[in-house]
Amino acid sequence: MPQSTSSPEQLDAVIVGAGFAGMYMLHRLRGLGFSARVFEAGDGVGGTWYWNRYPGARCDIESMEYSFSFDPTLEQQWSWSQRYAPQAEILTYANHIADRYQLRDGIQFKTRVTSAVFDEAAGRWAVATDQGDQISARHCIMATGCLSVPKLPEVPGVDSFAGPTYHTGYWPHEGVDFSGMRVGIIGTGSSAIQSIPHIAEQAAHLTVFQRTPNFSIPAQNLTMTREYEQEIKDRFPEFRAQARDSGFGLASPANELAAVDATEEQRQREYQERWDQGGLGFLLSFSDIIYDVNANATAANFVRGKIHEVVKDPKVAEILSPKDYPIGTKRLCVDSGYYETFNRDNVALVDLRATPIEAITPEGLRTSDASYAFDCIVFATGFDAMTGALNKIDIRGRDGLALKEKWAGGPRTYLGLQVAGFPNLYTITGPGSPSVLSNMMVSIEQHVDWIADCMTYLREHETPTIEATVAAEDDWVAHVNDVGEGTLFPLANSWYVGANVPGKPRVFTPYIGGFNVYAEKCRDVAAKGYEGFALGAAVR
Ligand code: FAD
Ligand code: NAP
């Protein structure tokens, strides 16, 4: 619904993005009597689960946990079909949320927010879209997602391939039939690891181009049994509380024993049990895996051993075995039959470390030692993560300062919720919050609730603006960096540090201090009258 009014529409809040974050934010604000509108670039809700429709896409947090907890009736009534829900089912859930809480009339689809400029005199945000909308909003809430800007590889000729190309993060809604095709896939991150077994089953031949091998743990996915579902449903309050009281927003318990204090037999038993259980819980095997190189090596060795057990060709197994970064410091992958796929006759692995890509050509792809012909190419090459979607919008705060300029040396936030110089602008799961290092549903609910409470407080106290102070922001950035440096995360060239985007400043962006610790800090800040924030109209 494009609009071209001369005086902009006045709203309490603009929300950008209709994934789980934007939808829940709209629901909360409406319930509190605020006027709000969501703008969404896609033509449906669901965000990640709307865009990432590649074969095999599914959650790697258990379905019972990767769901909203804010409505006890919803969580009792909804049923998941599998331990790890597939993309289509999560998208159905997202649509159910939109319908159940009657959110659709508050969401303007196919509309991209292009700019958000703070008008200091009015203390309001002037928000503009690519459809010509002009909105004046007291609050501007970015629910734009941490992994919502797909990235193509920086390879000469990337646009020159004559056949179809597909990015996993921008997959055709009608699906892709790979039957009889020669397919090339670039990338071996989570998206590739989920899609490769499915593409291999369909295609005549699949060539996997790997630059960095990843550690992957089997999902051990299962059909949801009604007994298990009911067992969780009977104790949902306690189950959700366990997740919120944990470091990663997960209900499953972490082992408090350090790997370096365990015997070799204890370690092998624990790793084997976690491997058999499947999923990300593998990293909770011991308390020191992401802190201590020696501890980490024991976990990494275990997984490398498994790769060699599964993959029949020892040379292929060796190429698939990560060696130059600690396990967990690039996002751990969770798969269904990934390593087994390399035993198929119609699958080949190309080690780009040995033979780098030189160019994509009209016929396919050329490496330093061979040319490959394909009928189609899949880019599983990831995202401009954490800051990508925010930096794509022309966001300007006080004195016309562009957010992109302020963040030229890396993102700076207070609590990953606000940025000094940008009053009443909020980021849901923003840089400097636990975000991608947690169960995102838990983090989304916590951020949305905090923002909703904050806006209510401002209204009750007749306070038009809230803005992070420079001092609080500096302290928080220093703390996020300190905590990050106390772990092994900085050792890997991951998207957590922006290493996948040339020119991006190398900063460990999420907060690894623990979801529970972080949420407590946010509660404390609010309880102290929004400590570290300046309240009022004319704060500089
Ligand atoms: P998103 O779902 O990314 O939604 C953001 C929305 O904002 C998008 O629809 C986008 O179109 C819109 N948008 C962005 N910029 C603009 C703009 N300028 N104007 C208008 N609209 C805009 N997390 C987990 O915890 N567990 C998992 O198992 C898991 N699996 C994942 C699998 C994949 C393939 C990917 C990519 C991510 C996964 N994640 C997972 C992370 C996932 O992104 C979050 O769990 C969650 O879905 C994020 O919700 P969101 O609403 O914050 O953002
Ligand atoms: P990713 O983890 O960033 O992986 C991108 C892959 O592409 C990497 O293997 C990367 O290699 C490779 N690549 C990029 N540019 C390249 C180039 N120029 N040449 C050769 N290779 C190149 O992206 P993703 O797989 O889409 O996953 C992103 C995140 O989304 C995940 O980490 C996870 O948080 C989430 N996700 C979750 C699931 C799930 O299981 N639920 C599924 C998908 C995604 P390098 O490593 O060498 O850079």
Side-chain angles (χ1 to χ4, degrees), residues 254-263 266 270 284-288:
N255 189 352
E256 284 172 14
L257 179 66
V260 292
D261 294 334
T263 64
Q266 277 175 312
E270 184 72 22
L284 304 176
S285 299
F286 292 100
S287 62
D288 50 353

Side-chain angles (χ1 to χ4, degrees), residues 429-466:
T429 65
S433 75
S435 61
V436 292
L437 295 175
S438 67
N439 172 354
M440 289 286 277
M441 292 300 253
V442 173
S443 281
I444 285 170
E445 284 193 326
Q446 185 259 338
H447 264 195
V448 168
D449 289 340
W450 191 95
I451 295 166
D453 290 349
C454 172
M455 285 175 58
T456 307
Y457 179 94
L458 296 181
R459 183 171 61 185
E460 282 168 0
H461 290 77
E462 296 181 359
T463 304
T465 58
I466 181 165

Side-chain angles (χ1 to χ4, degrees), residues 48-49 52 54 56-61 147 151-155 167-169 186-194 209-214 325 330-335 352-353 357 379-383 385 436 493-496 499-500:
T48 287
W49 307 102
N52 292 262
Y54 59 83
R58 67 174 68 247
C59 210
D60 62 6
I61 303 275
L147 294 157
K151 215 193 119 285
L152 288 171
E154 291 74 22
V155 174
H167 192 291
T168 49
I186 303 176
T188 48
S190 298
S191 302
I193 279 176
Q194 286 188 329
F209 294 91
Q210 172 191 279
R211 187 165 66 185
T212 312
N214 264 294
Y325 63 92
K330 274 167 97 79
R331 173 62 149 70
L332 190 64
C333 300
V334 175
D335 72 278
L352 296 178
R353 291 275 175 87
I357 297 179
F379 296 116
T381 42
F383 300 88
V436 292
N493 289 324
S494 66
W495 57 258
Y496 295 136
N500 64 328

Side-chain angles (χ1 to χ4, degrees), residues 326-454:
I327 186 170
T329 57
K330 274 167 97 79
R331 173 62 149 70
L332 190 64
C333 300
V334 175
D335 72 278
S336 295
Y338 175 63
Y339 294 120
E340 290 83 346
T341 301
F342 292 91
N343 294 332
R344 294 177 67 105
D345 292 337
N346 69 334
V347 174
L349 178 66
V350 175
D351 179 5
L352 296 178
R353 291 275 175 87
T355 59
I357 297 179
E358 286 186 343
I360 292 181
T361 63
E363 298 74 34
L365 190 155
R366 192 176 70 245
T367 65
S368 60
D369 83 337
S371 289
Y372 300 84
F374 296 121
D375 298 309
C376 67
I377 296 180
V378 175
F379 296 116
T381 42
F383 300 88
D384 182 355
M386 312 290 291
T387 53
L390 294 167
N391 282 338
K392 272 178 93 102
I393 304 172
D394 186 10
I395 302 173
R396 288 174 190 269
R398 290 191 188 277
D399 303 323
L401 178 66
L403 184 69
K404 206 173 170 175
E405 214 177 297
K406 167 152 182 169
W407 284 4
R412 303 186 68 76
T413 71
Y414 179 37
L415 298 170
L417 276 163
Q418 269 219 350
V419 182
F422 297 77
N424 294 6
L425 179 85
Y426 311 82
T427 51
I428 301 181
T429 65
S433 75
S435 61
V436 292
L437 295 175
S438 67
N439 172 354
M440 289 286 277
M441 292 300 253
V442 173
S443 281
I444 285 170
E445 284 193 326
Q446 185 259 338
H447 264 195
V448 168
D449 289 340
W450 191 95
I451 295 166
D453 290 349
C454 172

